[in-house]
């Protein structure tokens, strides 16, 4: 408690992503991201596990494909590994630790003739600008970037004021899911809409 911090509840974000996929009827999932030593990666995985557990599904229904990084190339490599899983066990939905991995996965699946979302649905994380502009607009868990920045600046200015009245605070925001084409069911494909906790 001797410093200020601003962040997002990544466990809640992972939970939100997989809950969304469960609501779309999926029962076999991949979590794609790494290295797991990164707290955000581990927390997002934990959230995914909680959603699977709460739905009463077998923990084995969540396949973890760890990557060496969080970039587009790693997403493409993960796509090759995903397609290498026997079809009877292959996940029908993937939750990626960030949008760059999700974009790489989407690129690889599309090149291999896999239809998104009909064959594999994809959820990313961070809601970067590319998410909405990708070949199949990407469903993503959004962090309140402007609110994070403004709150951090306010805390910093309060601490720099030096009048002795500043109290250290740890502020954690809840993310929201922005649903797009990459997880849409047939007949429900439309514009972006947010799904809050």
């Amino acid at each position: 408690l001797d410093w200020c911090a601003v962040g997002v509840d990544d466990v809640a974000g992972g939970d939100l992503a997989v809950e969304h996929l469960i609501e779309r009827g999926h029962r076999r999932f991949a979590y794609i991201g790494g290295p797991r030593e990164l707290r955000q990666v581990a927390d997002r995985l934990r959230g995914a596990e909680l959603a699977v557990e709460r739905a009463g599904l077998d923990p084995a229904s969540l396949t973890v494909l760890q990557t060496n990084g969080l970039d587009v190339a790693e997403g493409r490599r993960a796509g090759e590994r995903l397609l290498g899983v026997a079809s009877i066990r292959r996940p029908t939905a993937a939750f990626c630790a960030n949008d760059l991995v999700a974009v790489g996965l989407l690129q690889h699946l599309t090149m291999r003739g896999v239809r998104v979302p009909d064959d594999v649905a994809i959820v990313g994380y961070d809601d970067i600008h590319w998410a909405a502009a990708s070949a199949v607009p990407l469903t993503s868990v959004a962090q309140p970037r402007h609110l994070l920045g403004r709150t951090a600046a306010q805390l910093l200015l309060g601490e720099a004021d030096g009048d002795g009245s500043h109290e250290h605070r740890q502020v954690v925001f809840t993310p929201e899911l922005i649903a797009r084409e990459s997880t849409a069911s047939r007949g429900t494909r439309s514009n972006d809409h947010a799904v809050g906790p």
Side-chain angles (χ1 to χ4, degrees):
L1 299 178
D2 21 342
W3 62 79
C4 291
V6 179
V8 173
D9 186 342
D10 285 313
V11 174
D15 188 322
L16 193 59
V18 174
E19 181 180 55
H20 172 72
L21 293 169
I22 290 169
E23 288 171 355
R24 293 293 188 273
H26 296 280
R27 295 297 178 265
R28 294 193 310 274
F29 317 91
Y31 176 74
I32 302 174
R36 213 179 296 184
E37 293 75 28
L38 292 174
R39 181 174 174 180
Q40 294 92 334
V41 171
D43 283 354
R44 293 167 193 180
L45 172 57
R46 181 62 189 137
E49 291 168 339
L50 289 172
V52 167
E53 181 182 320
R54 190 174 57 252
L57 299 173
D58 184 339
S61 64
L62 179 63
T63 299
V64 178
L65 299 178
Q66 187 161 332
T67 61
N68 293 322
L70 294 169
D71 56 30
V72 173
E74 287 293 329
R76 290 193 198 109
R77 283 190 276 275
E80 187 63 40
R81 291 164 57 204
L82 181 69
L83 295 181
V85 176
S87 58
I88 195 167
R89 295 188 301 106
R90 184 178 303 148
T92 62
F95 167 42
C96 299
N98 73 0
D99 286 341
L100 293 177
V101 171
V103 167
L105 176 66
L106 175 62
Q107 288 175 350
H108 184 81
L109 295 182
T110 302
M111 287 189 306
R112 293 288 299 273
V114 177
R115 298 168 302 160
V116 176
D118 297 327
D119 299 324
V120 178
I122 302 174
V123 178
Y125 205 107
D126 292 329
D127 197 34
I128 62 174
H129 295 303
W130 289 0
S134 60
V136 178
L138 188 65
T139 294
S140 186
V141 178
Q143 304 189 60
R145 290 186 293 267
H146 296 293
L147 189 55
L148 282 164
R150 185 168 64 244
T151 304
Q154 288 170 343
L155 291 172
L156 182 61
L157 289 171
E159 187 155 2
D161 192 29
D163 66 1
S165 65
H166 176 77
E167 291 184 15
H168 295 301
R169 294 184 337 173
Q170 289 74 43
V171 182
V172 179
F173 293 104
T174 302
E176 67 175 340
L177 185 130
I178 308 298
R180 298 190 180 97
E181 301 280 324
S182 70
T183 58
S185 303
R186 289 188 181 119
T188 64
R189 296 178 193 167
S190 59
N191 295 330
D192 303 0
H193 62 280
V195 180

